Amino acid sequence: MCAALDEARKAAGRTSPNPAVGAVIVKGRRILARGFHRAAGRPHAEIEAIRALPQPGDAAGATLYVTLEPCSTHGRTPPCTDEIVRLGFARVVYGATDPNPAHSGRAEIILRSAGIEVKPGMLGKECAELNAAWNHWIATGRPYVIAKCGMSLDGRISSHPESRWITSPESRVDAMRLRAGVDAILVGGGTVRADNPKLTVRGIAGARQPWRVVVTRSGRLPATSHLLTDRYRDRTLVFQDQSLADVLIALGGLKITSVLIEGGGRILGEAFDHRLVDEAVIYVAPQLIGGPVAAVGGIGVACNEDGLQLRNARYDRIGDDVCIRGSLRD
């Protein structure tokens, strides 16, 4: 299953609105084939592994390890359970159960009925965490929201116009990896007017360009903005005079399963005020810059006891910065 997880990680950020899934086929304590789901509409991980077998007949009597319960319904591709039964696998071991109530547990019933031994839940937690965003979208219809900011030690994001960067080059590379793993990047209209960002993924081989989402009260965006004029302009969505909560519902309806909110302070404040954030990633640079612009604005909490607490927080040194990551959900 660890080998299957390694396969699934190859698909991270490339399969939405499908989950990232990996599979390996084992016979006689030897891995015969590996595969992962490469993109929505492409064969699932199980089928990729089957096609990688030295001989098609090698599946008979073999064990299939897969990170997610095999699909049992016909979507863009046929049910994987049909092929597993047809080829005569002896055993199927899977990690996470499909969170969709219409599918959850069906594969186990189908496979057992065909005389195949089934072992669900192996490394289930690790397999589920790999698709946290997809699981959340399936359960709620809303995208998984990551709030990201880079700030000074005194919690500021304002800086001199000729000194744009606060965080280190290493932190900016790490932030690119974050962008590469989500379906959409969201900013406020104020950020577009002040910074004219591109919100592109750079330096990550094979990465898809996420949607770029602007939430603006006035709708007044410069006609020359990169987001409206560059080669990815068709990947830009503008929402005017709508609450962030309503925007997220609309994005979920467009099969956008994960959103990275990059600012500015007003949008981040609204996200935290209304408890819309699932995960936070904060890069803190070891410098004090002052200035009026706080990393997170909004109304704030009435007392410190009501503040949002990061769960399972991690503290990583990246360049000269500290990156703090944690969940805001149980």
Side-chain angles (χ1 to χ4, degrees):
M1 189 59 77
C2 288
L5 275 165
D6 287 341
E7 290 297 307
R9 291 185 185 104
K10 297 176 184 178
R14 304 184 184 193
T15 60
S16 185
N18 288 358
V21 183
V24 298
I25 297 172
V26 175
K27 198 170 189 180
R29 301 182 64 83
R30 184 168 66 92
I31 292 178
L32 296 182
R34 306 167 188 255
F36 64 93
H37 182 43
R38 297 175 182 272
R42 297 281 298 274
H44 289 182
E46 301 94 316
I47 306 306
E48 291 280 6
I50 287 167
R51 291 179 179 177
L53 283 167
Q55 299 292 331
D58 289 341
T63 296
L64 171 69
Y65 289 83
V66 60
T67 56
L68 180 68
E69 175 183 356
C71 71
S72 54
T73 57
H74 203 297
R76 296 196 206 186
T77 59
C80 290
T81 50
D82 287 359
E83 192 70 354
I84 293 168
V85 171
R86 185 183 74 82
L87 291 173
F89 279 91
R91 185 168 177 252
V92 173
V93 181
Y94 65 83
T97 299
D98 191 323
N100 188 330
H103 305 153
S104 183
R106 288 188 78 240
E108 183 175 1
I109 295 170
I110 292 169
L111 297 175
R112 286 190 188 281
S113 297
I116 297 172
E117 181 185 349
V118 181
K119 181 175 176 58
M122 179 175 283
L123 297 184
K125 181 174 181 289
E126 292 84 348
C127 291
E129 286 175 350
L130 186 70
N131 289 301
W134 181 74
N135 294 336
H136 178 82
W137 176 67
I138 288 290
T140 68
R142 292 185 291 105
Y144 184 86
V145 174
I146 304 170
K148 169 256 176 181
C149 68
M151 67 182 188
S152 63
L153 201 56
D154 50 347
R156 293 294 185 267
I157 58 173
S158 55
S159 61
H160 191 278
E162 295 181 4
S163 303
R164 181 179 176 188
W165 302 114
I166 297 172
T167 55
S168 67
E170 294 88 348
S171 288
R172 298 198 292 276
V173 169
D174 191 71
M176 280 295 163
R177 295 192 190 100
L178 264 182
R179 284 184 178 182
V182 298
D183 291 348
I185 306 164
L186 186 149
V187 297
T191 295
V192 176
R193 290 187 289 271
D195 298 338
N196 192 18
K198 295 180 180 179
L199 305 184
T200 52
V201 176
R202 301 179 291 278
I204 308 294
R208 301 181 307 163
Q209 172 57 43
W211 287 95
R212 302 175 306 180
V213 181
V214 183
V215 180
T216 170
R217 290 173 178 170
S218 66
R220 293 192 299 271
L221 302 176
T224 56
S225 300
H226 293 304
L227 301 184
L228 303 179
T229 60
D230 69 10
R231 66 188 176 117
Y232 297 117
R233 57 188 176 276
D234 292 338
R235 299 281 290 173
T236 298
L237 301 171
V238 179
F239 292 86
Q240 181 180 350
D241 200 24
Q242 294 187 48
S243 71
L244 183 56
D246 286 343
V247 169
L248 292 173
I249 291 171
L251 294 178
L254 295 173
K255 296 188 176 181
I256 291 173
T257 67
S258 56
V259 172
L260 179 66
I261 301 180
E262 291 205 1
R266 183 186 72 79
I267 286 291
L268 284 169
E270 183 179 352
F272 284 113
D273 281 345
H274 293 281
R275 303 302 196 259
L276 300 173
V277 178
D278 299 292
E279 182 180 344
V281 180
I282 301 171
Y283 301 91
V284 183
Q287 58 175 312
L288 300 147
I289 62 174
V293 184
V296 178
I299 299 170
V301 296
C303 61
N304 289 346
E305 287 73 15
D306 294 333
L308 293 170
Q309 182 75 32
L310 289 184
R311 292 172 169 80
N312 302 314
R314 282 176 42 200
Y315 304 85
D316 298 314
R317 174 85 176 263
I318 301 180
D320 290 331
D321 305 333
V322 173
C323 179
I324 305 169
R325 305 170 191 245
S327 172
L328 289 158
R329 306 287 185 200
D330 291 329

